[in-house]
Amino acid sequence: MSLSDHPRVYGTAALAVAFIAGIFATLGFKDLYPELEARYQGRRKRPRQGSMLFGPVRLEDREESSMSSHDRGHGIVDGIEGTIGNTPLIKIRSLSEATGCTILAKAEFLNGAGGSPKDRVALNMIQVAEQQGLLSPGGGDTIYEGTVGSTGISLAVLARARGYKAHICMPDDMAIEKSDLLHHLGATVERVPVAPITDPGHFVNLARSRAKEHTAASDTPSRGFFADQFESMANYTAHMKTTGPEIYAQTEGRLDAFVAGAGTGGTIAGVTKHLKEERGLASLKVVLADPQGSGLYNKIRHGVMYSSTEREGKRRRQQVDTMVEGIGINRITENFEVGRGLIDDAVKVTDEQACRMARWLVEHDGIFIGSSSAVNCVAAVVTALKMPRGSQVVTILCDSGTRHLSKFWKHIAAMGLEDETQEQDEDLLAVLGIQDLRR
């Protein structure tokens, strides 16, 4: 019987012969063309250009990996703008131990441009103005702003980086080191007498007027741009786009309360809108930290700003009767109004409590902060004591104590707090005059 009589047997034999021939051909091809083999292996090791946005995927421990789009210290960022954002979330050990809750603080003083959360705001306001054609880099335009310090510092840094000038108006009772720093950053600084918002000489109104005068001047083609941090929607959206998502990612969505003060209101509004509306954390407790003399506490707790004679924009006395700088106000800004309905509670913090908290954090945690950060931390402690043990509370460390030496920290020294050596087992609640109702 021949193979031709059995097609199936013939086909099987033919396949076997072809397979063996293929093996020899392949081995011979590699021997004859080793350079092609090397090139082939090299191509396998390199990802195709454009095939992945950030290169090959690498599995990492989530606790060690960064949630941000860039990891400072590992790689190159584009200009000073690249150092803004992606700040650490710090567990404050002494406050956590004292309350039985985990108290975390977003270290905004580590922003690399101006050293505060206002870096985010200043950058976004400038970018939005450029998109709208209100600012043109290199054309001699000047950015005007009314500020108690931090926003002006951030604007002064970014103005120089992007080809603008900065003109800052600020109250004359602010710490002198802030205006000194602004001068060194190349900004024009006007320190003006403290006045109510209804006065044309109020630092915000003056900045607005200066910008209009610049634009209307016939001797220059450049323009004046009034940043308007209190009312500009670029303020709260900066935090809704960056600070809020960072906090959510760093906590993996596990947070029970968010505590922050309000000056312009951009931080608390932007972060809250992201966490409650975009992330759906409906049960999150949002608490306003308010210094003495500010009307926002009563607005949140009782719906009114003091009495009818002291309603928003009508107060004729000093803006806020406190040594705390950066937060506390007696009017409702557009930024604060955006998030006001999402704020659940408010905590009033005295100047003495803020001073004692600032000194406590130096002694027990090595954290050196300014007045607004101290207010936030006191309010975070009060909030934690109202929550179940084990809850996670997030707050903001706004800026370093180095901007508050001549006023806030000078007062701390005058109180004798720097002469006292605090024991590590000292009771924080007793120091602050706070009662823990859970005990």
Side-chain angles (χ1 to χ4, degrees), residues 236 240 269-282 284 338-342:
Y236 90 85
M240 189 170 65
V271 172
T272 298
K273 283 184 71 66
H274 177 79
L275 295 177
K276 280 196 170 186
E277 294 183 345
E278 296 188 4
R279 294 294 184 175
L281 300 182
L284 177 71
V338 165
R340 181 161 66 95
L342 300 174

Side-chain angles (χ1 to χ4, degrees), residues 171-174 192-196 199 201-203 317-320:
D172 60 5
D173 65 343
M174 295 296 106
V192 301
V194 175
D199 191 323
H202 184 276
F203 64 98
R317 48 187 261 200
Q318 183 170 326
Q319 182 191 12
V320 177

Side-chain angles (χ1 to χ4, degrees), residues 325-348:
E325 299 179 358
I327 59 174
I329 195 170
N330 283 309
R331 59 190 173 91
I332 300 296
T333 67
E334 290 292 335
N335 281 279
F336 187 78
E337 186 62 28
V338 165
R340 181 161 66 95
L342 300 174
I343 300 175
D344 303 293
D345 201 0
V347 173
K348 177 73 72 178

Side-chain angles (χ1 to χ4, degrees), residues 152-154 156-157 160 180-187:
I153 292 168
S154 298
V157 172
R160 288 297 182 183
D180 287 346
L181 178 56
L182 284 165
H183 280 298
H184 291 303
L185 290 171

